[in-house]
Amino acid sequence: MHPFSYTKAADVEGALNGGRRGGRFIAGGTTLVDLMRENVERPRELIDISALPLHDVTGTAGGGLRIGALVSMAAAAAHPKVRAAFPVVAQALELSASPQLRNMATIGGNIMQRTRCTYFRDVTAPCNKRRPGSGCAALDGFNRSHAILGGSDQCAATHPSDVAVAFTALEATVHLLGPDGERRVAFTDFLLQPGDTPDREQDLRPGELITAVELPAHPRPLKSGYLKVRDRQSYEFALTSAAVALHVRDGVIREAKVAAGGVGTVPWKLPAVERSLVGERQSDALWAEAAARAADGARPLRNNRFKIELLKRTVERQLRIVGGVK
Ligand code: SF4
């Protein structure tokens, strides 16, 4: 591990000063410390932000929820307001990582976590995300877990977060604070597809700090849930996943929010599926018809063609679980 300095910020201003110097923010450390041990990340300065007042879940004026960036995954999953209004968020969190990691890791850190592409973590392998211009070992290598949506000729690594899939489906907003003041970014714009710059993963300006993720109000009742398909039933990343939220009134689907995980270089919003649902009555036929659009535009690699069918089945099954059948 390379030498680095460590400072604990006492307040937001102290953290922003550290950010201005080019320091890296750290809270739970469940990703960054691993990557530093493996020499994948080599920050010169760490700014510990765990003492900042960003630990609350609060209701917003419009009826949404604001989850502070330093709320732990476990605390967010257990929070009564989250469980009542957005079970899809609680379920996505509970299906992530392990209890120990969920106690340490924060919501802000979770959405900032880096890919689990094995070549990214192997410093002897070419990887455009870790070292721009060095190549991509995965594109011609073993790419079973990689993306079928949103990849480029530079990188096809999936985003590993589960709760980010729920945030994408629900059209959350990321609150940021930086040297130039506050900023809000739609969650669907916050995480970046690789394109020609796979090393640039978020819409973050130098020194900016995530302060919260806001979930907008949706019409009530909103039924929602998260389904994760993986090689083993615990402590594993998704092969495919589906976050679904439906508002049904008088037997008609009035609002549908759907996103998929494990298949995209970012959590993948499924607008074609959503459009197929809105204005229709629940039925098994509708779930199948809508889910058939889930893999539109997919470009599989040598070892992950199976994800196309698996994604459609995952979305169909979760539509049925959340929407039931009339
Ligand atoms: Fe690196 Fe992306 Fe290629 Fe993985 S898929 S080796 S993260 S460039």
Side-chain angles (χ1 to χ4, degrees):
M1 192 186 277
H2 279 239
F4 61 91
S5 68
Y6 168 90
T7 311
K8 184 156 187 167
D11 51 28
V12 170
E13 199 46 49
L16 292 180
N17 284 338
R20 277 189 199 99
R21 293 194 301 269
R24 287 285 302 275
F25 299 127
I26 186 168
T30 54
T31 289
L32 183 55
V33 172
D34 276 357
L35 293 174
M36 289 170 65
R37 283 200 189 109
E38 293 165 2
N39 275 325
V40 175
E41 297 250 25
R42 300 177 182 190
R44 285 180 290 107
E45 180 176 6
L46 292 183
I47 313 294
D48 183 344
I49 58 170
S50 58
L52 303 188
L54 305 172
H55 290 85
D56 294 323
V57 177
T58 50
T60 63
L65 277 185
R66 185 182 158 121
I67 305 174
L70 293 175
V71 176
S72 73
M73 292 171 69
H79 198 284
K81 286 181 175 163
V82 175
R83 299 186 81 80
F86 300 109
V88 62
V89 171
Q91 291 172 19
L93 288 164
E94 286 174 338
L95 289 169
S96 304
S98 66
Q100 294 89 342
L101 286 166
R102 293 195 294 271
N103 284 333
M104 284 298 293
T106 64
I107 292 295
N110 183 287
I111 62 176
M112 289 292 293
Q113 69 181 293
R114 307 200 69 188
T115 183
R116 261 57 190 181
C117 172
T118 49
Y119 302 109
F120 171 73
R121 284 159 189 260
D122 173 1
V123 292
T124 66
C127 171
N128 289 321
K129 189 180 283 296
R130 177 170 29 77
R131 197 151 59 86
S134 63
C136 171
L139 291 179
D140 291 321
F142 187 60
N143 43 41
R144 177 175 179 269
S145 67
H146 286 69
I148 57 172
L149 291 157
S152 71
D153 60 1
Q154 299 273 311
C155 176
T158 51
H159 193 275
S161 168
D162 291 294
V163 76
V165 182
F167 290 160
T168 298
L170 295 169
E171 292 155 12
T173 302
V174 184
H175 291 236
L176 303 167
L177 181 62
D180 298 326
E182 291 184 39
R183 205 161 65 92
R184 295 178 181 203
V185 179
F187 199 85
T188 46
D189 296 332
F190 180 69
L191 298 174
L192 305 177
Q193 295 180 37
D196 293 332
T197 53
D199 54 314
R200 186 159 182 263
E201 297 175 326
Q202 302 91 13
D203 176 6
L204 267 180
R205 295 173 185 166
E208 270 187 332
L209 182 68
I210 301 171
T211 55
V213 174
E214 181 173 336
L215 299 169
H218 289 281
R220 304 284 170 79
L222 187 75
K223 289 184 71 180
S224 71
Y226 187 73
L227 177 64
K228 181 173 181 177
V229 177
R230 44 191 165 171
D231 283 328
R232 60 181 183 211
Q233 276 306 305
S234 85
Y235 199 40
E236 183 56 284
F237 294 93
L239 287 171
T240 58
S241 70
V244 170
L246 300 175
H247 170 57
V248 182
R249 198 177 69 245
D250 302 328
V252 175
I253 299 168
R254 310 286 173 164
E255 192 166 308
K257 304 294 174 193
V258 187
V263 290
T265 51
V266 295
W268 206 256
K269 187 79 160 150
L270 296 173
V273 175
E274 295 171 344
R275 282 194 300 274
S276 302
L277 296 167
V278 173
E280 304 292 336
R281 293 183 176 271
Q282 302 127 291
S283 72
D284 279 347
L286 178 65
W287 307 142
E289 186 186 314
R293 308 294 309 275
D296 283 3
R299 288 193 308 157
L301 303 169
R302 185 171 50 197
N303 305 120
N304 66 6
R305 180 169 291 278
F306 73 97
K307 285 191 176 186
I308 291 178
E309 185 60 24
L310 188 60
L311 171 59
K312 293 177 188 174
R313 293 187 189 200
T314 305
V315 171
E316 181 181 346
R317 184 165 151 196
Q318 187 59 3
L319 287 171
R320 186 175 297 113
I321 290 170
V322 172
V325 178
K326 275 279 177 190

